[in-house]
Amino acid sequence: MSKSVVIVGAGLTGLLTAYRLQELGLNVTVLEARDRIGGRIHTLQFGKAKVEMGATWFNQAHYHLADVIEEFKVPYFEQFMTGKSYFQTFSNVPPQEIAVPNDSPSYRFKNGTIHLLTAINTKLKPNTVSTNEVVKHISVYENGAAIKTNTRTLNADVIITTLPPATLIDQIEFSPSLPKDVILLAEQTHTWMQDAIKVALTYKKTFWREQGKSGTIFSNIGPLTEFYDQSNLETESYALVGFASGSCARFSKEQRIEKIEAQLKIVFGEEALQYESYHETAWYNEEFTKSNRQEDNLFPHQNGGHALYQEPLFDGKLFISGAETSKHHSGYMEGAIFAAESVVAKLKNLHLTQ
């Protein structure tokens, strides 16, 4: 009889792990607390425009991701960077024109980052993924484990969690408790994107391209710290998307919009204010991403890929996986894929796929 595996989280790690394990003949269930798949991959669509409120870019160094893109035949294209870009150093200095070298281009998915997730999801067996399933408690016994959600209790031989470690210890109770060193480490592991505010504005035309500008802004003063053209490949939809500084968290949404408009007007002129729609995702407000247990002032990727995350717990019944646990490009889509491939390899080594 094949082993049963429950995976917590339907992000990139969770879905790819599920696919790999089903290919090996295991019975797999994926539990997702949100009402959608993707986790920190979140593509919004407004008319023809798709804007990324989560993970967006990748490059040639992300070779595990490249292999998965090829495997699932997901089209992509190079990030538009043609024209003048701008760097803002100090508030009393006008934005400086800069040339961004194109020796290591970034890429985006033609149909939105979510296409990578849906391509994997459609290969899973029917009813593998269950959304709106909030895992509350995990109990581990000598011969297996039980997972209690907001709607039911499931039994499994193996549990794989793919949540950010800080979120895991904050939102799920364990019986017996997780080892103290794992709990302490999770509190000190930075959750990628948790402190980010992603901002998107859609437009009727790419006015910045008509001005000979790339749409790119780098800024030390904010409120936008990075901003890029996010028009689609066919140039049928037009958008500017990027990050607002963490300091913007103390402002209301209306105050953020006012400050962002002022910054865009300085760089692009009045046309920047003629946007069709404004969208933002403050990831520190996202219930299933944020953690009240994560320590403040962690540096980006702190403790990502730590050795403690590489070892299974409770005699091989529990695996802590996910992008933050990856020894390779921790936190990124590349790390999420590396984490998936790693946990599958560990299950094989423990002969749990036999």
Side-chain angles (χ1 to χ4, degrees):
M1 184 175 179
S2 62
K3 298 282 187 179
S4 61
V5 179
V6 169
I7 299 172
V8 182
L12 183 51
T13 299
L15 292 182
L16 184 60
T17 301
Y19 176 73
R20 296 280 188 250
L21 294 180
Q22 285 187 348
E23 288 289 283
L24 293 171
L26 276 69
N27 294 318
V28 181
T29 300
V30 181
L31 303 177
E32 171 55 52
R34 291 180 169 93
D35 60 2
R36 60 175 179 83
I37 64 171
R40 284 168 286 175
I41 291 174
H42 190 27
T43 306
L44 296 180
Q45 182 156 355
F46 301 92
K48 291 184 178 180
K50 292 185 177 74
V51 293
E52 304 296 347
M53 306 313 291
T56 306
W57 297 278
F58 58 96
N59 60 45
Q60 294 169 347
H62 299 163
Y63 49 91
H64 294 92
L65 176 58
D67 289 344
V68 172
I69 290 170
E70 174 62 27
E71 178 181 357
F72 290 92
K73 307 301 180 187
V74 182
Y76 61 94
F77 66 106
E78 186 175 325
Q79 169 67 39
F80 181 84
M81 296 292 287
T82 303
K84 301 172 186 175
S85 299
Y86 289 87
F87 179 42
Q88 293 178 301
T89 53
F90 304 103
S91 57
N92 59 344
V93 177
Q96 302 172 18
E97 289 185 13
I98 60 171
V100 179
N102 202 32
D103 51 354
S104 181
S106 293
Y107 300 91
R108 292 194 288 120
F109 292 98
K110 178 177 180 288
N111 300 310
T113 314
I114 194 61
H115 187 194
L116 177 64
L117 277 295
T118 56
I120 299 170
N121 192 40
T122 55
K123 296 282 189 178
L124 298 176
K125 294 179 180 178
N127 303 315
T128 296
V129 180
S130 182
T131 56
N132 296 302
E133 288 260 20
V134 183
V135 176
K136 301 287 191 178
H137 193 280
I138 291 175
S139 301
V140 182
Y141 308 105
E142 182 178 351
N143 297 317
I147 306 93
K148 183 179 180 181
T149 76
N150 56 319
T151 63
R152 56 178 169 160
T153 298
L154 298 86
N155 295 312
D157 296 300
V158 176
I159 298 173
I160 301 170
T161 73
T162 67
L163 309 181
T167 307
L168 173 68
I169 63 167
D170 187 33
Q171 300 187 3
I172 300 178
E173 294 183 5
F174 283 86
S175 178
S177 298
L178 292 174
K180 289 184 179 179
D181 54 352
V182 172
I183 294 173
L184 180 62
L185 174 64
E187 291 174 342
Q188 299 173 349
T189 300
H190 180 253
T191 299
W192 191 237
M193 292 287 290
Q194 173 172 297
D195 42 9
I197 303 173
K198 199 82 180 283
V199 172
L201 293 93
T202 64
Y203 292 89
K204 291 183 177 180
K205 61 178 182 178
T206 52
F207 67 87
W208 55 94
R209 295 191 188 187
E210 295 169 9
Q211 296 174 3
K213 298 172 181 177
S214 67
T216 303
I217 302 172
F218 301 107
S219 177
N220 290 338
I221 59 174
L224 298 171
T225 56
E226 294 181 42
F227 222 44
Y228 304 94
D229 181 308
Q230 202 164 106
S231 306
N232 69 355
L233 176 61
E234 299 82 5
T235 58
E236 296 171 336
S237 68
Y238 321 108
L240 292 170
V241 177
F243 297 91
S245 66
S247 62
C248 286
R250 67 178 185 268
F251 302 124
S252 67
K253 180 178 179 180
E254 291 72 25
Q255 289 172 322
R256 280 194 290 272
I257 292 174
E258 182 179 345
K259 293 178 182 296
I260 287 168
E261 286 181 345
Q263 182 182 11
L264 292 178
K265 183 177 178 180
I266 290 173
V267 177
F268 297 118
E270 289 284 347
E271 282 188 285
L273 307 185
Q274 309 306 312
Y275 52 88
E276 290 189 293
S277 62
Y278 172 93
H279 313 280
E280 67 173 32
T281 297
W283 285 95
Y284 53 81
N285 284 333
E286 290 290 306
E287 179 182 3
F288 302 112
T289 298
K290 70 175 183 179
S291 168
N292 297 317
R293 295 280 294 274
Q294 185 171 90
E295 292 191 0
D296 295 332
N297 303 317
L298 299 179
F299 59 80
H301 309 296
Q302 183 167 331
N303 285 320
H306 193 280
L308 276 181
Y309 294 133
Q310 313 312 316
E311 299 299 324
L313 301 173
F314 304 123
D315 296 322
K317 298 180 184 68
L318 176 68
F319 293 78
I320 299 178
S321 186
E324 275 72 23
T325 72
S326 174
K327 296 185 291 184
H328 172 74
H329 288 270
S330 171
Y332 295 102
M333 289 187 284
E334 172 76 354
I337 286 173
F338 188 83
E341 306 290 12
S342 296
V343 75
V344 171
K346 291 168 192 172
L347 286 167
K348 286 183 177 179
N349 289 338
L350 291 174
H351 306 293
L352 292 173
T353 61
Q354 301 300 314

